[in-house]
Amino acid sequence: MAETVSPTLHEPPSSTRRERRGWYLYDWANSAFQTTVITVFLGPFLTTVTELAAGCELGADSCEGYVHPLGIRVAAGSYYPYLISLSVFLTVFVLPMMGAIADRSMHKKRLLAAAAFTGAGATIAMAFVTGDRYLLGGVLFLIANISFGAAVVVYNSFLPQLGGPDERDAISSRGWAIGYLGGGLLLALNLVAVTMLSEEGNPQRTLDLARWSIVSAGVWWAVFTLVPLRWLREHPAAAAAARVGGGNLLTDGFRQLGRTLREIKAYPLTLFFLLAFLVYNDGIQTVITLASQYGTEELKLEQSTLIVTILLVQFLAFGGALALGALARRIGAWKTVLLSLVLWTGVIIAAFRLPAEAPLPFMALGGAIGLVLGGSQALSRSLFSQLIPTGKEGEYYGFYEISDKGTSWLGPLAFGLVFQLTASYRVGLVSLLIFFVLGFVLLAAVPIRRAIVAAGNTPPKVL
C-alpha cells in the first residue's frame, strides 16, 4: 500500500493575483539583459573591441587576429564564446550555493535584490568599455551573467509557491510571455535609436550606439526589479523557519548543499530529466547567444537587420509561449517540449542553409524561432517544478539554471573550437545539432509521471 503523504506538505501557500503579477514583472525586468545584451549587442560589440585589441582595423570585413588574455592565445572571433563557457563554469559553483541559501533564508527577496542589482550595475559599467578594453568588458560580462543566473535561481524558486501542479504551466508561460514583451519593448527603443543616430560609413558611431544600448538594459533591469521586490511575498520553507535565530546562513547553506548532493541520488529520474534539459537547453541558449555574431560575421547582415529580427522573435515568442502553454493543457507539457525540440532541429538545418547578405530569409527564420522559443523554455521550467522535493526548490533550480537563460557552456565551447579550427561559422552552427537530437532522446526516455510521484509530488491531470 502506498504511503499516505500529508497534503499540507505539498499544497502551495495561497498566492494573490498581485503577487503573481509581481513575479511576472521580474521576467519583464531581466529579459532586457537577455535580449538587448546577450542576444543582440554584446556579441558583436565585444568581438569588435577584441578585434581592435588584436590589431584589426575598425570596420574591416574580416579579422584573423589574436589576443592573449592571461597569456593564452585566443582568436578574436572565439573570445566571446569562450567567455560564455567560462561564466557557466563559474556558475556551476555559484548557482547551487545560491539556491541552498535561498531555501534556508527568511528573506529571499533580499537575495533577489542583491543578485539583480549586482548584475544590473555590472551591465551599466559597460559604459567604460571603450577602445580596446576587451578584458574589462570580459570581466564585467562575467559578473553580470553570473549575477543574472543567481537572481533567476531565487526567482524560479518562487514558482512552486504560486500555484498547484495544474496551474504552473500557465503561470510559467505567462511569465515568459511578459518577459518577451519587456525585452522586446526595450529592444524596439534601441532599434529606433540605432536607426536614427547611426551614420553610414561610421563604424565608431555604430560601436558607441551598441555600448549605450547595453547600458540601457542595465538601467531597465535595475528600475523594474523594484516592482517585484515590492509585490512578492516571502514564503519561507520549513528549513528556513527552523533555523530562525540560529547559525550562519552561508555556513548552513554550504552544509545543506552538501546533504542535497549526497541525497540527490535518491531521485534518479529527476536527475535524468535535468540531464536531458542541460543538453537540449544548452543548444537553445547557444543559438540565442550567438545568433547576432553569426548574422554579422558569417551572413554579413547589418546591425539594424539583426535588431529587427530579434524584435520579431520577441513579439512572436510572446504568442508562442502562450500558444504552447495552451497546447500543453491539451497534450501535456512533456509531449509539447518534445515537439518543440523537433522544430529546433529544423531551425538549425535552415540556419545552415541561409544565404549571405539576405535579410528576409534570416527574418523568416527568426519568426520560426520565436514561435518555439518561449514555450520550450517556459514548459521546461514548470515541468521541472513538478520533480523537485518540497522545500528544496532553490537548490534544485540552482542546478537547473546552470543551463538556462544564457548560461550554456558546451554549445559555445563547441562553436568556438570549431570556428578556431575551421574559420567557418556555418560549420560551428552544424555542431549544435547534436544537442537537440541527444536532448530529444534523453527527454523521451524519462518516465515523467513516475518521476513526479518519486519526488513526492502529485502529477497534473494532463501530462
Side-chain angles (χ1 to χ4, degrees):
M1 182 175 178
E3 181 182 357
T4 301
V5 180
S6 172
T8 60
L9 294 177
H10 299 277
E11 292 179 359
S14 59
S15 61
T16 65
R17 181 177 298 180
R18 185 171 187 258
E19 183 179 8
R20 292 186 182 187
R21 286 175 177 172
W23 189 79
Y24 301 150
L25 282 173
Y26 184 71
D27 232 324
W28 170 284
N30 75 356
S31 290
F33 176 82
Q34 175 68 24
T35 305
T36 293
V37 179
I38 299 296
T39 306
V40 178
F41 287 104
L42 188 62
F45 170 76
L46 200 51
T47 298
T48 300
V49 173
T50 306
E51 289 173 348
L52 289 174
C56 301
E57 184 179 348
L58 183 62
D61 291 336
S62 62
C63 173
E64 298 181 0
Y66 291 84
V67 290
H68 300 82
L70 303 178
I72 302 172
R73 188 171 187 261
V74 175
S78 296
Y79 179 66
Y80 180 58
Y82 287 164
L83 271 179
I84 297 170
S85 296
L86 176 59
S87 74
V88 177
F89 175 76
L90 296 175
T91 61
V92 168
F93 304 98
V94 174
L95 301 193
M97 188 64 243
M98 188 67 165
I101 293 173
D103 285 339
R104 301 184 69 79
S105 173
M106 295 291 290
H107 306 287
K108 287 203 294 188
K109 290 200 297 183
R110 294 181 185 176
L111 294 176
L112 177 62
F117 291 139
T118 298
T123 306
I124 294 170
M126 286 283 184
F128 301 103
V129 181
T130 56
D132 59 357
R133 297 177 180 174
Y134 77 101
L135 282 176
L136 176 61
V139 171
L140 290 174
F141 165 72
L142 291 176
I143 295 172
N145 208 35
I146 293 170
S147 299
F148 177 84
V152 172
V153 168
V154 182
Y155 165 71
N156 282 343
S157 72
F158 281 93
L159 175 58
Q161 302 161 357
L162 298 176
D166 295 303
E167 300 173 292
R168 291 179 200 163
D169 288 342
I171 293 172
S172 183
S173 295
R174 290 190 197 110
W176 277 100
I178 293 298
Y180 282 119
L181 281 184
L185 177 58
L186 180 63
L187 191 58
L189 295 174
N190 284 320
L191 171 61
V192 171
V194 169
T195 302
M196 293 180 62
L197 301 177
S198 61
E199 297 177 357
E200 187 175 354
N202 187 349
Q204 183 60 55
R205 173 62 68 89
T206 302
L207 191 64
D208 291 339
L209 289 171
R211 181 171 64 254
W212 290 111
S213 295
I214 292 169
V215 171
S216 73
V219 174
W220 179 284
W221 184 5
V223 170
F224 284 105
T225 293
L226 296 173
V227 179
L229 290 178
R230 183 172 179 83
W231 289 1
L232 280 172
R233 294 186 299 166
E234 299 284 5
H235 293 283
R243 66 165 301 279
V244 171
N248 178 275
L249 181 60
L250 183 61
T251 303
D252 287 351
F254 271 110
R255 292 198 188 102
Q256 178 57 38
L257 180 59
R259 285 193 291 270
T260 297
L261 288 173
R262 291 191 297 270
E263 297 168 0
I264 200 170
K265 61 184 179 182
Y267 305 100
L269 297 180
T270 298
L271 281 176
F272 198 72
F273 174 88
L274 187 60
L275 174 62
F277 173 78
L278 292 177
V279 171
Y280 71 74
N281 198 57
D282 206 294
I284 293 174
Q285 294 303 323
T286 304
V287 173
I288 295 170
T289 305
L290 300 177
S292 58
Q293 188 177 8
Y294 182 74
T296 55
E297 303 295 330
E298 179 67 32
L299 302 182
K300 308 301 181 185
L301 298 174
E302 297 292 333
Q303 187 75 51
S304 58
T305 298
L306 297 176
I307 297 175
V308 170
T309 303
I310 300 302
L311 190 60
L312 179 68
V313 170
Q314 290 297 114
F315 289 112
L316 285 177
F318 169 77
L322 296 178
L324 288 185
L327 180 62
R329 288 195 292 272
R330 297 176 62 87
I331 68 173
W334 179 62
K335 296 185 184 71
T336 306
V337 174
L338 285 171
L339 174 62
S340 75
L341 295 182
V342 175
L343 299 176
W344 271 111
T345 302
V347 164
I348 295 297
I349 295 172
F352 173 77
R353 300 176 62 88
L354 284 178
E357 300 181 5
L360 289 181
F362 186 79
M363 291 180 183
L365 184 65
I369 290 176
L371 292 176
V372 297
L373 175 61
S376 58
Q377 294 178 311
L379 294 174
S380 295
R381 177 172 65 181
S382 58
L383 193 56
F384 186 64
S385 75
Q386 314 279 2
L387 305 175
I388 302 174
T390 301
K392 296 187 176 182
E393 292 84 4
E395 290 177 77
Y396 277 74
Y397 271 118
F399 297 115
Y400 176 93
E401 188 61 24
I402 289 171
S403 184
D404 193 25
K405 285 201 170 185
T407 52
S408 55
W409 68 284
L410 282 175
L413 180 62
F415 191 95
L417 287 173
V418 170
F419 174 80
Q420 184 148 343
L421 293 173
T422 66
S424 171
Y425 286 100
R426 289 185 188 271
V427 178
L429 187 69
V430 171
S431 69
L432 303 181
L433 276 176
I434 186 63
F435 294 95
F436 295 102
V437 174
L438 180 59
F440 178 92
V441 172
L442 292 173
L443 182 60
V446 177
I448 199 68
R449 186 173 297 275
R450 184 151 54 93
I452 294 173
V453 173
N457 298 319
T458 302
K461 295 178 182 177
V462 180
L463 192 60

